[in-house]
């Protein structure tokens, strides 16, 4: 058990967690369950939940199954595999209340900078809030994800100012009383996960006249079951009746985790065959409602993120002529719609929704300095996907790009606790990854070829070609390569504070 410091200053804690989303709550749960460390969660918004409280567009949901997206210590016991945003937010509130974390969250506090002093082994964290409170801590955990929530990506389109209808980004969805769908032509610009989520909901649950997806190129959209199978449901009933809820959850969790790794591996090993099978299957589902140009992506599976549609709702909408898909590029906006380049036609629109992606933000856009020297994340290699070289006592939590986000976050929290417990046992104050005498070679290949990755990876931490600087997105390989204590890595430097050394 890691012991807490004895300070009574409410703004001086052992650990500062930045962000009260699914990552920050996970970190707080591990600290609460396995240590006596005093911590505070600083959340820049007025509510907890991160993504699930921030976005408000219709149909908001997770692409990951809930058995792997939920925490291992707080099982998901419902029959639905895919959950909407409200359900996930409710789940997070339940976790916070069950572990009594709510009093440890400070809202409307944006962290602007963090500076580390080696003399006393403390971080000083500056915030932008009503009181501009300053916090100090031994450790900082940045758990705000890698998206920039204050800035979305919207390409500049000629003539947009002349458009007479409504236009907005999904990140800035208007309130329900500010938008009228009845008898309107809705055009969604984009073909990523948000567009695929949004289109079926607008087509079936509003009185819109028509919903059109305008895409530059198609994406992979895999149909998935929204609920467990009938056989799994029967097994659930039996196991719940004899008090084996946790065992049932673990079976389901690892079943879905293994299946996800299998699908990803097949896509990478046999991309051409998977692509042929995908096109054949989708062609059967939609018949003549879509031509091959609107189905066939120009890249291999998992070169970009795979979209999913629960129970094939997107394809049902297409087949029933509720959703139209157009593959073209925008030349300009007109008063009544969008002029397309290839067809030279005007696409009528009353409402244009930009589902064009987000911007990346490294370490929550926090300015980091160590002993007075500013350090940029983009200049540092990531150590075990948990820390950055030359930045002591700072952890950052970021999930898998091809699997459930939470699986990775829990792995990272477990690694972090191993390190903290080792430091406590052996009397160390400072942990800092350093390169050994062998220079680390950078992996310049992007993890994904998605637009947001291409636009923003230059600002993200560097990835190495070899462990412990290599990023691993296979959960089993990740566990194997990082199963040991980070404290024992040759690249980890453990020291005592200068003040302790003097005494």
């Amino acid at each position: 058990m890691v012991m807490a410091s004895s300070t009574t200053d409410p703004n001086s804690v052992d650990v500062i967690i930045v962000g009260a989303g699914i990552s920050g709550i996970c970190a707080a749960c591990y600290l609460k369950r396995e240590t006596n460390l005093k911590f505070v969660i600083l959340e820049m918004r007025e509510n907890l939940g991160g993504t699930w409280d921030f976005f408000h567009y219709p149909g908001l949901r997770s692409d990951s199954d809930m058995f792997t997206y939920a925490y291992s210590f707080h099982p998901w016991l419902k029959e639905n595999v895919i959950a909407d945003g409200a359900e996930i937010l409710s789940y997070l509130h339940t976790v916070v209340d069950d572990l009594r974390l709510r009093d440890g969250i400070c809202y409307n506090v944006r962290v602007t900078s963090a500076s580390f002093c080696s003399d006393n082994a403390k971080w000083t964290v500056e915030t932008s809030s009503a009181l501009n409170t300053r916090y100090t801590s031994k450790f900082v955990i940045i758990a705000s994800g890698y998206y920039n929530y204050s800035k979305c990506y919207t390409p500049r389109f000629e003539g947009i100012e002349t458009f007479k209808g409504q236009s907005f980004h999904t990140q800035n969805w208007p309130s329900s009383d500010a938008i009228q769908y009845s008898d309107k032509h809705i055009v969604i610009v984009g073909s990523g996960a948000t567009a695929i989520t949004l289109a079926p909901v607008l087509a079936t649950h509003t009185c819109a006249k028509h919903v059109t997806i305008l895409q530059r190129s198609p994406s992979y959209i895999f149909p998935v079951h929204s609920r467990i199978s009938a056989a799994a449901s029967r097994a659930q009933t039996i196991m719940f009746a004899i008090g084996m809820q946790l065992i049932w959850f673990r079976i389901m969790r690892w079943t879905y985790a293994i299946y996800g790794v299998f699908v990803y591996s097949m896509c990478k090993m046999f991309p051409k065959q998977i692509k042929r099978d995908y096109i054949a299957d989708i062609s059967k589902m939609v018949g003549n409602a879509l031509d091959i140009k609107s189905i066939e992506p120009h890249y291999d599976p998992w070169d970009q993120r795979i979209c999913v549609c629960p129970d094939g709702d997107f394809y049902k909408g297409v087949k029933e002529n509720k959703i139209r898909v157009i593959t073209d590029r925008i030349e300009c906006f007109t008063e009544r719609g969008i002029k397309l380049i290839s067809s030279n036609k005007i696409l009528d629109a009353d409402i244009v929704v930009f589902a064009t992606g987000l911007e990346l933000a490294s370490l929550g856009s926090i300015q980091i300095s160590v002993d007075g020297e500013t350090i940029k994340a983009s200049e540092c290699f990531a150590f075990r996907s948990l820390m950055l070289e030359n930045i002591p006592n700072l952890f950052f939590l970021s999930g898998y790009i091809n699997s459930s986000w939470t699986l990775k976050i829990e792995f990272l929290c477990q690694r972090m606790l191993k390190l903290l417990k080792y430091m406590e046992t052996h009397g160390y104050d400072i942990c800092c990854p350093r390169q050994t005498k062998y220079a680390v070679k950078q992996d310049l290949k992007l993890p994904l070829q998605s637009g947001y990755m291409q636009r923003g990876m230059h600002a993200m931490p560097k990835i190495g070609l070899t462990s412990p600087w290599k990023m691993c997105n296979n959960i089993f390989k990740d566990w194997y390569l990082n199963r040991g204590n980070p404290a024992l890595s040759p690249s980890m430097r453990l020291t005592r504070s200068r003040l302790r050394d003097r005494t």
Side-chain angles (χ1 to χ4, degrees):
M1 181 72 75
V2 181
M3 302 303 292
S5 62
S6 57
T7 179
T8 57
D9 183 354
N11 295 330
S12 180
V13 295
D14 296 303
V15 184
I16 291 173
I17 302 172
V18 181
I22 195 162
S23 303
I25 292 172
C26 184
C29 289
Y30 270 89
L31 291 174
K32 178 88 172 186
R33 287 157 50 92
E34 300 192 29
T35 77
N36 286 324
L37 293 175
K38 181 182 178 183
F39 62 86
V40 64
I41 304 175
L42 304 182
E43 169 56 47
M44 68 177 181
R45 304 184 66 255
E46 64 277 6
N47 297 306
L48 65 84
T51 294
W52 307 111
D53 178 73
F54 177 78
F55 289 98
H56 298 285
Y57 61 82
L60 174 66
R61 60 168 170 77
S62 172
D63 275 359
S64 299
D65 66 273
M66 284 305 298
F67 299 108
T68 58
Y69 194 74
Y71 302 129
S72 62
F73 51 83
H74 203 286
W76 181 260
L77 301 178
K78 298 181 180 181
E79 291 193 3
N80 56 316
V81 178
I82 303 296
D84 62 30
E87 280 186 292
I88 299 173
L89 190 58
S90 175
Y91 169 84
L92 292 176
H93 276 279
T94 300
V95 172
V96 167
D97 289 334
D98 286 353
L99 286 172
R100 299 178 180 178
L101 300 176
R102 199 170 292 275
D103 289 342
I105 306 175
C106 296
Y107 297 103
N108 297 307
V109 179
R110 180 189 294 273
V111 175
T112 56
S113 67
S115 57
F116 185 81
C117 177
S118 298
D119 283 342
N120 59 6
K122 289 287 185 74
W123 282 99
T124 299
V125 173
E126 304 287 350
T127 66
S128 173
S129 62
L131 301 176
N132 290 326
T133 307
R134 173 182 291 177
Y135 295 84
T136 60
S137 67
K138 297 178 182 177
F139 302 93
V140 170
I141 303 172
I142 297 181
S144 52
Y146 54 72
Y147 288 133
N148 188 337
Y149 289 107
S150 62
K151 182 182 179 183
C152 54
Y153 175 70
T154 306
R156 173 61 186 168
F157 295 110
E158 183 182 345
I160 184 69
E161 65 281 353
T162 67
F163 179 55
K164 298 299 185 183
Q166 285 183 285
S167 64
F168 46 85
H169 194 282
T170 51
Q171 189 165 324
N172 304 312
W173 200 271
S175 60
S176 57
D177 58 351
I179 181 171
Q180 299 295 325
Y181 304 105
S182 181
D183 204 34
K184 298 293 180 64
H185 291 279
I186 302 176
V187 175
I188 303 172
V189 179
S191 59
T194 302
I196 303 308
T197 298
L198 189 57
V201 177
L202 293 179
T204 57
H205 297 295
T206 69
C207 298
K209 193 169 187 177
H210 213 284
V211 175
T212 300
I213 283 187
L214 176 58
Q215 60 182 17
R216 290 185 302 174
S217 61
S219 300
Y220 288 95
I221 309 168
F222 285 14
V224 296
H225 294 293
S226 64
R227 303 181 69 81
I228 60 176
S229 66
S233 180
R234 289 193 292 271
Q236 180 193 43
T237 302
I238 295 171
M239 295 184 74
F240 279 27
I242 56 178
M244 298 177 66
Q245 290 93 332
L246 185 57
I247 294 176
W248 178 83
F249 168 71
R250 288 174 176 170
I251 291 172
M252 297 300 291
R253 182 178 178 84
W254 285 108
T255 298
Y256 276 90
I258 293 169
Y259 178 72
V261 172
F262 172 76
V263 170
Y264 178 79
S265 300
M266 291 298 101
C267 288
K268 286 300 183 181
M269 288 190 292
F270 309 107
K272 305 305 178 188
Q273 182 61 49
I274 296 294
K275 186 174 184 177
R276 283 195 296 269
D277 292 345
Y278 166 80
I279 293 171
D281 290 344
I282 300 307
S283 297
K284 291 178 182 177
M285 290 183 65
V286 299
N288 297 324
L290 277 179
D291 60 19
I292 193 67
K293 179 183 176 183
S294 297
I295 296 176
E296 183 175 6
H298 303 318
Y299 55 90
D300 289 335
W302 271 115
D303 281 353
Q304 298 184 23
R305 284 188 67 92
I306 297 293
C307 304
V308 303
C309 56
D311 302 318
D313 60 355
F314 175 76
Y315 295 114
K316 289 177 183 176
V318 170
K319 191 170 184 179
E320 295 170 0
N321 201 34
K322 295 179 179 178
I323 301 172
R324 179 174 53 166
V325 180
I326 295 177
T327 304
D328 209 325
R329 289 178 177 268
I330 296 174
E331 178 178 329
C332 65
F333 274 73
T334 68
E335 288 188 2
R336 62 185 182 88
I338 302 171
K339 185 178 181 181
L340 305 177
I341 293 178
S342 298
S343 64
N344 201 33
K345 293 180 179 179
I346 299 294
L347 179 60
D348 289 339
D350 300 301
I351 301 172
V352 175
V353 179
F354 295 108
T356 46
L358 304 173
E359 296 281 6
L360 298 186
S362 180
L363 300 186
S365 300
I366 300 169
Q367 182 177 329
I368 305 293
S369 64
V370 176
D371 294 328
E373 180 182 352
T374 300
I375 299 179
K376 294 182 179 180
S378 59
E379 299 172 350
C380 305
F381 281 93
F383 171 81
R384 292 198 174 186
S385 301
L386 177 64
M387 301 182 72
L388 296 179
E389 63 167 328
N390 303 325
I391 303 183
N393 292 17
L394 183 140
F395 306 95
F396 72 99
L397 304 181
S398 185
Y400 291 118
I401 61 173
N402 61 347
S403 188
S404 174
W405 180 270
T406 321
L407 288 173
K408 177 81 169 187
I409 299 302
E410 289 209 50
F411 279 164
L412 295 176
C413 289
Q414 292 160 12
R415 292 171 202 168
M416 177 182 67
L417 287 183
K418 287 181 181 179
L419 176 56
L420 295 181
K421 290 176 180 178
Y422 185 93
M423 292 175 65
E424 173 69 20
T425 301
H426 294 83
Y428 291 113
D429 303 305
I430 301 173
C431 58
C432 187
R434 306 277 190 186
Q435 291 192 34
T436 59
K437 61 181 179 179
Y438 302 104
V440 180
K441 293 183 178 180
Q442 185 176 359
D443 186 355
L444 297 176
K445 184 179 179 181
L446 292 177
L448 292 173
Q449 301 303 313
S450 305
Y452 66 89
M453 284 283 183
Q454 296 180 24
R455 292 191 302 270
M457 278 302 290
H458 68 280
M460 305 302 287
K462 293 189 287 189
I463 300 168
L465 287 170
T466 56
S467 183
W469 312 100
K470 182 180 177 66
M471 183 175 70
C472 186
N473 282 301
N474 179 304
I475 60 173
F476 301 108
K477 187 182 293 184
D478 188 23
W479 173 85
Y480 178 78
L481 291 176
N482 297 290
R483 65 193 183 281
N485 193 326
L488 303 179
S489 170
S491 299
M492 178 59 72
R493 182 183 177 188
L494 300 175
T495 57
R496 295 174 177 85
S497 69
R498 293 170 187 166
L499 288 180
R500 181 186 291 202
D501 284 342
R502 290 169 189 164
T503 58

